[in-house]
Amino acid sequence: HYKSWMLFLGIVLLLVAFFQPIKIWIRKAVFKPPVTSPVRVAREFVALAYSGVEDSPAPGSPNVSTDMFKEQMRLLAEGGYNPITLQDVRDFYKEGKLLPHRAVLITFEQAKRGTYNAVREILQARGWPAVMGVNTLAVQSMNQETLVWHHLREMKALGFWELAAESHLGFNPIETVPYDAEATFFTSPKWIAAENRYETREEFETRIAEDHATVLAEFERETKSRPLAFFFPLGNYGQYDERAQMVRAVNLGQVERNYDLGFIVGMLALNAESSDPRRLNRLLVNPSWSPNAFISMIDSFWPRPWTEANGRSAVYNAASWLGDWGEVVARNDVLVLKAVQPLDLFDTDSAADGTTGAKAWLVGSDTFKDGTVSFLFNMRHGRFGVYLRSTNRGEYVFVGIDERGYVSARQKLQDVDELILGMDTLPTDVSVSHNLSVTLRDNLMFVHVDGKLMFGGRVLLRGASHAGLIGASVWDPLVGVASTEIISTRIAGRRDAIVTWSPASGRNIGHLNTWLAANAHRFAILA
């Protein structure tokens, strides 16, 4: 009997020891390996982020239902989308390796156990890989809602899943002012009440660096590897506060030091060759979207030709814009940008429940670099502005027109204060509709308002030229006042031309110089 019991105990111990490897082997045998596209010709990809997926989300929950997620994956597959991995994205930015056509990266937030259980078979049945964000503090807590390390190791071993770091304390609020106000861990220096002061830059950077070190040590101990990517908690690294230059510099520097990639989460999905790999876009999927609205939204992010086949400029309607902040609505195919009014209409100095303006981005304009952008708009209240070549590094070119008739040209370079490039005045009545046309060619900018060339001619831009988003905004220092209407938007790609003239024309040097100055935006070479 003793030998029988020992034999039985040995068999049980062997089964326990080999249970996880056998389970992984069976799952690998049942499900086909992750799909990879052999044809790689693309230089852009979209990234999706799911807060969570569950069978029956509660009303108001940010989670998508399991049935809806399954339908969304079907629509992506039928739409010709090809799933990619973090390794693909890393190789694209670090080694220049191209991506599949219509590449999509699928990601999930905070290692939620319910999400993994809801989506794993849907993804594995298609052979689609995905990325799970891991908040190490939540994993350590061993609660029922979060995956634990042996689950995460099993996911990684299956070959379908990659793990991204999502901080240790990043979802914990910190005190930021001596009035019991709070902010997220990564977005502000901490208020040190005992010393009646804020953290210094060195103290802030030390706190952020220690959090990354904790995460990396946990990954190394539990998975014997370093994560390729970092997901900023709540998608925020300080980009929403113009004054937070130090915060942004520290956060992006830490990502560059510790990871190959960094991701935010928000309303944009497309990432291009010119995107900053330290803060790539992920579109947060809204559970209220219908299946058709979901696929239409994803499709809209892909760049389209700036010039139509017939040579005419491409026209964009109000539905082509995506609101960033403030009130952004389409009314009868007119894009309305308005500041949100405060609850107390007599309190126009406080932005507690209102905004000083509104901003929107032209979907799919991420790859615009050179060409002409024209806006027909109605001036209402505040300063109307156009952003060109706007990147996730904080760079942009800006042209603004205010209700007093002043026109300004500005440029923002990475980690540098905004530069004023030129000032001028409107040639017509401020109260009427205006046509603003901005032409970019390499490091030259030409601005026309109602047909008149502004700033006395070309404007010289600083730094290297690059592609970036097109945006529009309205702003006023008083809360709830700013308002403008964009009637139409047209874009024409760069057109290079040679200008020649006869010796007879050249004798009238005054007329020739005037014509050349007025039409310089239309040509590249003089002969």
Side-chain angles (χ1 to χ4, degrees):
H1 292 295
Y2 174 76
K3 289 183 178 180
S4 299
W5 277 109
M6 291 300 294
L7 180 61
F8 174 75
L9 182 60
I11 293 173
V12 170
L13 291 175
L14 283 173
L15 289 174
V16 171
F18 289 100
F19 174 73
Q20 288 295 334
I22 291 173
K23 184 168 71 170
I24 292 172
W25 179 83
I26 292 173
R27 286 188 175 177
K28 283 186 174 182
V30 170
F31 295 108
K32 54 190 175 184
V35 169
T36 56
S37 174
V39 180
R40 293 177 175 253
V41 295
R43 300 177 185 274
E44 304 95 14
F45 71 97
V46 294
L48 308 180
Y50 288 87
S51 176
V53 181
E54 58 181 318
D55 289 341
S56 301
S61 168
N63 295 345
V64 172
S65 72
T66 305
D67 290 341
M68 180 62 74
F69 177 78
K70 186 175 183 179
E71 179 67 7
Q72 290 172 352
M73 295 303 102
R74 182 187 70 80
L75 290 172
L76 288 174
E78 291 181 356
Y81 282 85
N82 291 294
I84 58 173
T85 64
L86 284 177
Q87 187 65 50
D88 291 325
V89 178
R90 184 262 173 206
D91 292 346
F92 173 61
Y93 285 108
K94 300 298 183 180
E95 300 179 16
K97 295 182 179 180
L98 298 182
L99 298 167
H101 177 63
R102 294 174 78 81
V104 58
L105 181 73
I106 301 170
T107 71
F108 301 91
E109 291 283 292
Q110 300 184 55
K112 296 176 182 177
R113 187 191 301 260
T115 295
Y116 174 61
N117 291 334
V119 306
R120 63 180 180 182
E121 293 189 2
I122 296 172
L123 292 171
Q124 288 174 349
R126 292 190 176 277
W128 280 25
V131 185
M132 182 66 79
V134 179
N135 175 253
T136 52
L137 180 63
V139 173
Q140 286 179 354
S141 68
M142 303 286 287
N143 63 56
Q144 293 297 314
E145 297 180 354
T146 308
L147 295 164
V148 294
W149 279 114
H150 82 264
H151 293 141
L152 297 169
R153 286 192 294 269
E154 177 185 317
M155 291 165 58
K156 195 167 181 289
L158 284 172
F160 291 93
W161 290 88
E162 294 172 296
L163 306 179
E166 204 164 5
S167 83
H168 188 71
L169 298 174
F171 290 93
N172 291 5
I174 59 168
E175 186 178 353
T176 58
V177 293
Y179 303 107
D180 296 325
E182 293 181 339
T184 53
F185 187 87
F186 282 86
T187 61
S188 175
K190 185 178 180 180
W191 175 255
I192 304 174
E195 301 178 25
N196 198 38
R197 66 175 180 87
Y198 284 102
E199 286 177 319
T200 64
R201 175 180 177 130
E202 291 73 22
E203 290 169 331
F204 174 74
E205 187 160 15
T206 297
R207 175 165 61 85
I208 300 302
E210 288 175 350
D211 192 84
H212 286 293
T214 300
V215 171
L216 294 174
E218 278 285 294
F219 265 80
E220 188 67 38
R221 180 169 54 253
E222 298 292 346
T223 70
K224 303 298 186 289
S225 63
R226 292 174 67 91
L228 287 178
F230 180 72
F231 291 173
F232 282 103
L234 306 176
N236 194 342
Y237 68 97
Q239 71 270 35
Y240 301 114
D241 186 349
E242 289 290 340
R243 301 164 298 177
Q245 291 185 7
M246 179 273 289
V247 169
R248 292 192 292 273
V250 168
N251 279 319
L252 294 180
Q254 286 295 319
V255 169
E256 186 172 16
R257 194 169 296 120
N258 294 300
Y259 312 90
D260 290 309
L261 306 165
F263 288 85
I264 64 169
V265 64
M267 63 174 190
L268 297 175
L270 187 71
N271 299 285
E273 197 171 24
S274 59
S275 300
D276 187 344
R278 300 174 300 175
R279 47 89 63 234
L280 298 168
N281 293 316
R282 291 188 299 149
L283 174 69
L284 183 62
V285 177
N286 190 325
S288 68
W289 291 339
S290 68
N292 287 337
F294 166 81
I295 198 65
S296 295
M297 174 68 75
I298 307 306
D299 288 344
S300 70
F301 284 103
W302 296 100
R304 56 180 275 193
W306 307 126
T307 305
E308 303 291 359
N310 58 12
R312 295 182 178 179
S313 56
V315 180
Y316 290 80
N317 58 28
S320 302
W321 293 86
L322 195 62
D324 187 345
W325 66 288
E327 183 178 344
V328 179
V329 295
R331 294 176 183 165
N332 299 322
D333 209 21
V334 172
L335 183 70
V336 179
L337 302 179
K338 290 180 62 177
V340 176
Q341 292 189 345
L343 296 178
D344 183 354
L345 296 179
F346 296 99
D347 182 13
T348 56
D349 294 322
S350 172
D353 49 22
T355 66
T356 54
K359 182 188 288 185
W361 299 104
L362 186 61
V363 175
S365 64
D366 308 61
T367 58
F368 179 82
K369 179 182 176 184
D370 290 337
T372 300
V373 183
S374 299
F375 294 87
L376 179 61
F377 69 97
N378 290 328
M379 178 70 74
R380 296 302 183 196
H381 300 287
R383 182 189 68 190
F384 171 71
V386 173
Y387 292 85
L388 301 169
R389 293 180 179 173
S390 181
T391 73
N392 55 20
R393 294 182 292 272
E395 303 163 306
Y396 57 78
V397 176
F398 176 84
V399 178
I401 303 175
D402 67 26
E403 56 188 325
R404 297 174 299 170
Y406 291 110
V407 184
S408 62
R410 306 166 187 264
Q411 185 179 11
K412 177 73 170 61
L413 301 175
Q414 184 176 357
D415 300 326
V416 177
D417 290 338
E418 195 177 63
L419 305 172
I420 299 177
L421 304 179
M423 296 291 293
D424 209 334
T425 56
L426 278 180
T428 56
D429 183 5
V430 178
S431 62
V432 301
S433 298
H434 297 283
N435 192 308
L436 170 64
S437 178
V438 183
T439 300
L440 297 177
R441 179 182 286 114
D442 299 323
N443 66 333
L444 299 179
M445 178 171 69
F446 304 87
V447 178
H448 290 79
V449 178
D450 301 328
K452 178 188 175 184
L453 181 64
M454 309 302 293
F455 312 118
R458 66 182 185 178
V459 176
L460 183 64
L461 302 176
R462 274 60 167 178
S465 59
H466 51 74
L469 277 167
I470 297 170
S473 70
V474 66
W475 177 85
D476 190 275
L478 296 179
V479 177
V481 172
S483 175
T484 194
E485 298 168 350
I486 299 177
I487 301 169
S488 68
T489 306
R490 291 178 175 270
I491 302 178
R494 174 170 173 164
R495 299 172 183 173
D496 288 334
I498 298 175
V499 178
T500 64
W501 57 88
S502 67
S505 299
R507 293 190 188 100
N508 189 347
I509 193 67
H511 171 74
L512 179 62
N513 285 340
T514 300
W515 188 93
L516 290 175
N519 293 274
H521 65 288
R522 297 168 54 190
F523 53 79
I525 302 172
L526 304 181

